[in-house]
């Protein structure tokens, strides 16, 4: 994608530079020669990305393929996406539980982790005015042995 961007910038820059130089030249017979020269330079800029292709057999394969990330990178991104989705889902659920219990002004942040091949909350941070015992009782379904609960109050 970076190569395509560079190529488009080269074409645009060449076209703009030739238009500016053409506008500065006086109307004489030299202007025709300048147009021919400009056409050659633009043609060169147009076919410049094809210079790295050495034989005709390589054309379809090298010009039309995209290098894909390896399987491990895709698996890592999928695992990150699952953790992010779990974070947001649990945050929403806990926020709703706290609002239903009469604590509408608290904010919740959840950080999940992969523990024993399962996704579980690793840290739950609650910011607002609520008693620690009440919070622990309300969040009991979301707490595991690996979960740390952090209460940040305004006191």
């Amino acid at each position: 994608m970076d190569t395509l961007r560079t190529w488009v910038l080269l074409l645009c820059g060449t076209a703009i530079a030739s238009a500016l130089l053409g506008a500065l030249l006086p109307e004489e017979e030299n202007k025709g020669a300048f147009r021919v020269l400009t056409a050659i330079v633009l043609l060169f800029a147009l076919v410049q990305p094809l210079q790295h292709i050495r034989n005709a057999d390589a054309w379809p394969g090298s010009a039309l393929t995209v290098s894909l990330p390896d399987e491990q990178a895709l698996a890592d991104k999928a695992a990150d996406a699952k953790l992010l989705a779990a974070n947001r889902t649990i945050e929403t659920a806990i926020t709703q539980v706290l609002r239903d219990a009469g604590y509408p002004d608290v904010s919740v942040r959840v950080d999940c982790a992969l523990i024993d091949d399962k996704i579980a909350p690793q840290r739950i941070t609650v910011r607002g005015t609520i008693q620690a015992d009440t919070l622990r009782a309300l969040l009991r379904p979301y707490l595991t042995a690996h979960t740390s609960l952090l209460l940040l109050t305004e006191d």
Side-chain angles (χ1 to χ4, degrees):
M1 197 60 149
D2 210 28
T3 306
L4 180 63
R5 181 174 165 245
T6 304
W7 178 58
V8 169
L9 287 174
L10 175 68
L11 282 176
C12 291
T14 306
I16 290 171
S18 64
L20 288 174
L21 288 174
L24 295 176
L25 286 177
E27 282 292 330
E28 294 177 4
E29 61 225 27
N30 292 339
K31 196 153 191 168
F34 177 75
R35 286 184 182 155
V36 171
L37 180 64
T38 301
I40 291 171
V41 170
L42 279 173
L43 184 62
F44 175 76
L46 185 65
V47 298
Q48 192 270 339
L50 303 177
Q51 286 181 340
H52 73 281
I53 299 173
R54 291 203 169 38
N55 56 19
D57 294 337
W59 164 246
S62 66
L64 301 178
T65 59
V66 176
S67 63
L68 297 174
D70 61 348
E71 290 181 35
Q72 184 60 41
L74 289 175
D76 291 344
K77 287 184 181 186
D80 289 344
K82 287 179 185 177
L83 288 174
L84 183 61
N87 290 346
R88 299 300 169 245
T89 302
I90 295 172
E91 281 176 6
T92 304
I94 290 174
T95 302
Q96 188 61 44
V97 165
L98 293 174
R99 285 194 177 140
D100 292 345
Y103 299 99
D105 295 331
V106 295
S107 64
V108 178
R109 176 164 169 82
V110 176
D111 295 314
C112 291
L114 193 62
I115 301 169
D116 298 330
D117 294 333
K118 294 181 183 176
I119 296 176
Q122 185 176 23
R123 180 178 39 242
I124 300 175
T125 306
V126 178
R127 183 181 302 262
T129 307
I130 186 172
Q131 295 295 322
D133 295 338
T134 305
L135 179 64
R136 189 166 292 282
L138 289 171
L139 299 186
R140 185 163 293 137
Y142 302 99
L143 301 176
T144 67
H146 304 286
T147 306
S148 67
L149 181 60
L150 178 62
L151 174 60
L152 303 173
T153 61
E154 318 252 326
D155 297 338

